[in-house]
Amino acid sequence: MGTTAVTVIGLGEMGRALADALLTAGHSTTVWNRSAAKADDLVARGAVRAATVEEAVLASPLTLVCLLDYDVTTALLEPAAGALRGRTLVNLTNGTPTQAREAEAWAVQRGAAYLDGGIMAIPSTVATPQAFVLYSGQKAPFDAHQATLEALGAAKYLGADAGTAALYDLALLSAMHVMFDGFFHAVAMATSNEEGTATGFTELLVPWLTNMTQVMPAFAADVDSGGEPALTQGLDVVLAGVRNMARASRDAGVRADYFEQSVADLEKQVAEGATVYTGPDVVRRLRTSG
Ligand code: FVH
């Protein structure tokens, strides 16, 4: 089967990993980066170094962009916009759903097909079975280039709204960010006395959190069903536990602001007459408190 020529604009940590994966998969790969020396290793492996963004775009029917942010992306592509006509632009730069929709409108006005993407990988896991990349926007370019995009990681198409990939990307990253905040909070608590080491504690934390993730599909089903939730817990029990987390944090000399806020929210629910903690209730309250 023939391979598609691909251009990669932006050779930071992630862009270099993407270009490397495309070369490994046998694609003719053209690259451009502001700091040209970052292309040296790729060129040594067979990539073509373009002198300008326009030259890079003209080299391939498919251009992947992976830059710092959307402002940089627009500033670099605008002078080369004429070259995009009739080609496909896949923007893998991290951004918001609104930015993704605006970028799609910008590209379509210039005659380009557009897909927005979110890379759910770190550079070292690109092109491994762990990696997946979210795409949304026009279906036709996704179908046309899916086989090529699979070289980066499993390609998951989420729908016609160009903003959906960014929305899911940031939602997934938000879960990761809060998880790591929780991890470091827990480590600060557990190492507050002389007995605890972060390493020993983490040996307990990883299986505990791994077990707890198994509950998420049931919570998700409750959120989707709109019916009587299957998973419920007494609000008084949850409140008592979170109060203790706040107290124990303070006693250990660790900031408790997240838990104090949580206690205040739970107390408000109790004062309003709620008696159970359910997935749909938590999501509803999050949606209305913004
Ligand atoms: N690295 C990661 O683990 C994450 C994984 C998930 C996806 N993100 C997103 O990928 C985008 C790029 O991230 P990165 O890790 O490659 O970032 P850097 O290594 O810092 O490379 C940044 C590239 O952007 C270029 N650049 C920055 N400012 C300008 C500018 N004013 N004009 C032209 N290019 C610019 C930079 O060029 P240079 O500094 O090498 O000349 C790099 O090519 C990002 O959206 C992540 O959120 C990565």
Side-chain angles (χ1 to χ4, degrees):
M1 205 174 77
T3 54
T4 304
V6 187
T7 288
V8 179
I9 293 176
L11 301 175
E13 295 292 325
M14 183 49 83
R16 290 203 299 283
L18 301 177
D20 190 66
L22 292 163
L23 284 169
T24 300
H27 295 277
S28 166
T29 305
T30 299
V31 294
W32 182 91
N33 193 59
R34 175 180 64 173
S35 311
K38 288 190 184 170
D40 289 353
D41 288 349
L42 294 163
V43 171
R45 291 200 55 218
V48 175
R49 189 195 319 260
T52 64
V53 171
E54 185 177 34
E55 187 183 305
V57 171
L58 288 172
S60 313
L62 174 64
T63 290
L64 310 184
V65 179
C66 189
L67 291 159
L68 176 67
D69 58 29
Y70 276 60
D71 289 344
V72 169
T73 303
T74 309
L76 286 180
L77 290 179
E78 185 65 68
L84 283 167
R85 181 164 294 280
R87 300 173 199 279
T88 297
L89 177 63
V90 179
N91 190 1
L92 299 172
T93 303
N94 185 268
T96 68
T98 300
Q99 287 176 318
R101 292 181 196 116
E102 288 169 356
E104 180 191 51
W106 178 92
V108 167
Q109 274 167 16
R110 284 148 185 86
Y114 183 87
L115 279 168
D116 207 87
I119 305 169
M120 307 320 299
I122 56 174
S124 61
T125 61
V126 166
T128 70
Q130 287 165 264
F132 60 98
V133 185
L134 309 173
Y135 298 93
S136 68
Q138 299 162 336
K139 182 78 162 51
F142 179 79
D143 289 341
H145 294 295
Q146 181 177 1
T148 302
L149 297 172
E150 296 279 355
L152 312 176
K156 297 185 184 292
Y157 179 74
L158 299 179
D161 177 353
T164 303
L167 182 68
Y168 273 51
D169 181 15
L170 291 173
L172 289 166
L173 292 176
S174 76
M176 180 193 76
H177 186 77
V178 175
M179 177 187 76
F180 278 119
D181 271 358
F183 164 67
F184 288 116
H185 184 276
V187 166
M189 284 180 79
T191 56
S192 63
N193 69 14
E194 306 225 320
E195 291 181 353
T197 66
T199 304
F201 175 71
T202 302
E203 283 169 13
L204 300 173
L205 182 67
V206 170
W208 167 245
L209 286 184
T210 303
N211 290 343
M212 286 300 97
T213 62
Q214 305 308 306
V215 183
M216 290 177 189
F219 269 132
D222 281 348
V223 170
D224 286 340
S225 81
E228 198 57 35
L231 267 188
T232 64
Q233 215 178 342
L235 210 46
D236 52 350
V237 175
V238 175
L239 177 54
V242 178
R243 273 192 186 124
N244 285 338
M245 293 172 211
R247 280 187 198 126
S249 296
R250 284 192 297 268
D251 292 348
V254 175
R255 271 172 57 173
D257 32 358
Y258 169 83
F259 298 96
E260 282 156 2
Q261 180 63 51
S262 187
V263 166
D265 288 344
L266 291 164
E267 283 174 342
K268 188 159 179 271
Q269 289 172 57
V270 170
E272 288 166 1
T275 55
V276 284
Y277 177 95
T278 74
D281 281 342
V282 174
V283 171
R284 196 175 312 117
R285 294 184 75 85
L286 283 167
R287 284 209 177 109
T288 54
S289 67

